[in-house]
Amino acid sequence: MRQFDFIVIGTGIAGLSVAIKAAAHGSVAILTKRLNADSNTNWAQGGVACVTANDDTIDRHVADTLDAGAGLCREDVVRAIVAEGPERIAELIDIGVKFDQVEVDGRLEFDLGREGGHSRRRVLHSADHTGREISVKLLAAAVATPGIEFFENHYVIDLITTAKLGFVTEDRAIGLYALNQTNGEVETFRSDRIALCTGGCGRVYQYTTNPEVATGDGVAMAWRAGATVANMEFIQFHPTCLYHPKKKSFLITEALRGEGARLIDREGREFVNDIDPRGALAPRDIVARAIDNQIKRTGHPCVYLDVSHKDRAYLEERFPTVYHACMEVGIDPASEPIPVVPAAHYQCGGVRTDINGASSLRGLYAVGEVACTGLHGANRLASNSLLEGAVIAHRAVEHMRLKFPVNGRPPTEFPLPPWQSGDAQDVDELVVIYHNWDEIRRLMWDYVSIVRTRKRLLRAAARLHNLKREVHEFYWNFKVTTEMLELRNLVQTAALIVECASLRHESRGLHYTRDYPLPDHEHGPADTLVRRY
Ligand code: SIN
């Protein structure tokens, strides 16, 4: 058994920031199910929203965030994250992160991008590969920090809690079991301070901008451990994912629309203007719904993003990731519109936490996309997520070290039993896992995506109920494998999305249902909370 003062699961901006800061107070293990560089953060194109410009204020950023969040943001959380953002950005710059700058009147200023829902230019970026820039620099800093041990290819199966072990005491997280995918062994890790930084769940849907690792692991394992989960119905669909058979999950950054790219239909009409005066720069829920409606109404499989008003040199320099990806599949953005469709992009709900990332389970923290802090409400404002990851990581470490001081003693007095495989067999039929995986992703896309109905949610719930039973049997009868564990988390996360969506009898932000097409003003906005016990 391995023992650490802090355990961090995930290597995106949240995980690496927690690990680096925690290492000043004790030993740190950082586990990731693939390689250190495989995270959602690494894929982020747009940037980090942060107040740095003279014409911008904390109040404006707060107001834009609250407006996008459609009444469900927690204003104290929004204000804290926005106000503490500049300090965390300065720390990123200190470790070497380079945000693009421009010369204005002989002085260098940040080259600020603009995205939907922002009333000002305030998005710091490194061309269109901001996430990669941050990941690379944070990873280098973490590797150079003494006291952090990395465990790549370690897939956390489940958290260990005092309640699960049958101790009669306040329930708390005291460790975890992880599958070492290199040798197939299940290892036990022990700690009193565990930070879930596992990202989101885009892979629950057939079409997504997320990498393969985004299978809802954190939400599923926290929920199984008894932590409260909230607002999972608010899945953000990014309006512009490349529509091309060879590049299915490729994001076309919203920053292009910030630079004047036009969102048009086959006839060249800017159809979003019919719905919202902000047009293609309205918040994402509005734009994605407008595209979904356009596609369903016309029967044409996609809409288009036209950025041909910008010349080739500009596109290559400012948007190299998008430019080269399009050219690779034979689309020249400098001269022709890019075909795009909406795709699942961001989980706005998650493990319910307070303003310091503390979940309802003692000792368990959730930071980044896996968490529901109250920043995003019913719809995340573009580029607010990297900011949240950096700010809450800092707060979580401060909270952990004050609430659970590291004093050099063994982390917990409770004995942890090793993993028992019993007489489990090797998995004999991988085809069953792949079939179930496909079925979940298709049914979530067809029944639980941009436009929902009560009937579709009921259908999804019934199918997921059966799938959960099958997966459960599989889990208990066979030795654990990566595929099986991902499927188990995927089906659990999908079920939580459907459960939350079914509990919300109104349309608000990202949750739109034909049965209740308006917000419920009578009862007012409220979070959807799901508890295991
Ligand atoms: C984008 O670049 O369009 C995505 C940014 C975000 O989701 O915050």
Side-chain angles (χ1 to χ4, degrees):
M1 187 182 63
R2 302 172 192 273
Q3 191 164 296
F4 292 88
D5 295 318
F6 299 86
I7 293 180
V8 180
I9 313 170
T11 53
I13 187 170
L16 292 169
S17 303
V18 170
I20 291 168
K21 286 172 182 261
H25 311 290
S27 58
V28 180
I30 180 159
L31 281 73
T32 179
K33 68 175 172 175
R34 303 275 205 277
L35 300 179
N36 290 332
D38 292 325
S39 68
N40 258 354
T41 299
N42 204 18
W43 281 36
Q45 292 182 12
V48 192
C50 185
V51 175
T52 59
N54 290 335
D55 70 343
D56 200 5
T57 63
I58 301 293
D59 282 344
R60 269 187 203 287
H61 190 174
V62 169
D64 291 348
T65 304
L66 296 177
D67 185 41
L72 273 191
C73 299
R74 279 187 47 194
E75 188 166 347
D76 57 333
V77 174
V78 175
R79 195 161 284 285
I81 291 175
V82 168
E84 291 166 28
E87 216 178 317
R88 303 285 83 84
I89 292 295
E91 287 172 357
L92 288 176
I93 293 170
D94 278 349
I95 61 154
V97 173
K98 297 226 176 322
F99 294 112
D100 289 359
Q101 295 184 308
V102 279
E103 205 179 305
V104 181
D105 302 330
R107 275 183 309 117
L108 278 179
E109 287 183 2
F110 288 120
D111 176 31
L112 298 173
R114 180 158 181 200
E115 293 179 39
H118 288 276
S119 59
R120 287 287 181 279
R121 284 188 172 268
R122 65 166 71 97
V123 181
L124 298 163
H125 63 92
S126 306
D128 63 353
H129 43 72
T130 315
R132 197 168 73 219
E133 169 70 9
I134 292 175
S135 290
V136 167
K137 300 291 164 58
L138 271 176
L139 193 53
V143 169
T145 303
I148 302 180
E149 205 172 325
F150 285 89
F151 294 89
E152 287 186 316
N153 293 311
H154 276 65
Y155 193 162
V156 177
I157 302 171
D158 263 324
L159 299 166
I160 305 172
T161 63
T162 47
K164 276 194 192 173
L165 295 183
F167 294 112
V168 185
T169 174
E170 183 193 13
D171 196 14
R172 58 193 254 207
I174 51 176
L176 55 87
Y177 295 115
L179 172 67
N180 178 342
Q181 296 163 104
T182 314
N183 61 15
E185 299 291 325
V186 175
E187 297 170 7
T188 310
F189 287 74
R190 175 171 172 159
S191 180
D192 278 343
R193 302 159 206 86
I194 300 177
L196 282 177
C197 309
T198 47
C201 67
R203 289 276 153 178
V204 161
Y205 286 92
Q206 192 171 9
Y207 302 108
T208 175
T209 61
N210 289 187
E212 279 177 12
V213 290
T215 50
D217 301 335
V219 165
M221 78 176 84
W223 189 81
R224 284 194 296 266
T228 301
V229 166
N231 292 355
M232 286 297 288
E233 68 274 37
F234 299 117
I235 299 293
Q236 185 169 74
F237 290 81
H238 195 291
T240 58
C241 180
L242 181 64
Y243 178 69
H244 194 281
K246 287 209 183 114
K247 271 198 194 292
K248 285 204 176 121
S249 290
F250 189 78
L251 177 73
I252 304 291
T253 178
E254 188 158 315
L256 277 161
R257 278 176 275 143
E259 300 306 329
R262 294 180 331 123
L263 192 58
I264 53 177
D265 62 15
R266 199 161 38 150
E267 272 76 50
R269 228 172 48 82
E270 292 184 79
F271 57 93
V272 189
N273 295 348
D274 300 346
I275 293 157
D276 194 293
R278 291 166 290 185
L281 278 178
R284 285 191 187 157
D285 54 336
I286 295 167
V287 181
R289 226 165 18 245
I291 299 176
D292 186 66
N293 183 44
Q294 188 72 6
I295 289 174
K296 292 204 172 112
R297 203 176 55 75
T298 61
H300 192 64
C302 62
V303 295
Y304 297 89
L305 193 69
D306 184 7
V307 67
S308 59
H309 66 293
K310 294 286 189 190
D311 64 35
R312 189 175 308 282
Y314 171 86
L315 290 176
E316 269 196 277
E317 193 190 331
R318 172 66 180 87
F319 296 104
T321 312
V322 169
Y323 179 80
H324 292 295
C326 287
M327 292 299 275
E328 260 173 44
V329 293
I331 300 161
D332 179 359
S335 64
E336 64 190 306
I338 307 168
V340 290
V341 285
H345 182 61
Y346 197 87
Q347 166 195 306
C348 294
V351 180
R352 174 67 149 186
T353 73
D354 66 10
I355 199 165
N356 299 307
S359 77
S360 63
L361 181 63
R362 195 172 160 82
L364 181 68
Y365 290 72
V367 188
E369 186 172 351
V370 66
C372 179
T373 58
L375 172 68
H376 307 310
N379 178 34
R380 178 183 67 110
L381 184 67
S383 286
N384 262 357
S385 40
L386 295 176
L387 187 74
E388 182 189 43
V391 171
I392 301 294
H394 178 84
R395 283 181 156 263
V397 173
E398 284 303 292
H399 196 255
M400 279 189 237
R401 79 179 176 86
L402 293 174
K403 188 137 185 173
F404 308 107
V406 177
N407 52 18
R409 287 211 309 270
T412 166
E413 67 273 25
F414 303 100
L416 304 193
W419 178 259
Q420 305 284 344
S421 319
D423 50 9
Q425 310 289 306
D426 285 328
V427 173
D428 56 353
E429 287 198 306
L430 263 183
V431 66
V432 180
I433 292 185
Y434 293 133
H435 176 88
N436 285 353
W437 177 291
D438 284 347
E439 185 171 348
I440 293 166
R441 299 186 67 202
R442 241 195 348 264
L443 82 85
M444 288 300 286
W445 186 261
D446 289 342
Y447 298 156
V448 200
S449 56
I450 298 171
V451 174
R452 300 162 181 177
T453 65
R454 210 171 63 85
K455 215 157 132 190
R456 286 184 203 167
L457 291 178
L458 282 173
R459 283 204 180 119
R463 281 303 303 136
L464 287 169
H465 180 75
N466 290 341
L467 282 161
K468 256 171 81 175
R469 222 183 33 222
E470 269 177 38
V471 173
H472 188 74
E473 270 170 32
F474 232 81
Y475 176 75
W476 286 105
N477 293 334
F478 294 98
K479 286 195 182 139
V480 288
T481 63
T482 307
E483 292 83 358
M484 182 205 291
L485 293 174
E486 286 192 331
L487 178 66
R488 177 173 174 246
N489 290 337
L490 214 60
V491 73
Q492 183 58 67
T493 308
L496 285 166
I497 296 171
V498 172
E499 186 173 346
C500 286
S502 307
L503 288 170
R504 187 167 289 283
H505 295 171
E506 63 165 351
S507 288
R508 182 180 297 277
L510 296 160
H511 174 72
Y512 181 82
T513 165
R514 287 216 186 106
D515 297 304
Y516 309 97
L518 297 172
D520 179 356
H521 292 302
E522 199 182 319
H523 298 97
D527 288 328
T528 318
L529 300 177
V530 202
R531 288 192 190 86
R532 177 100 163 87
Y533 304 114

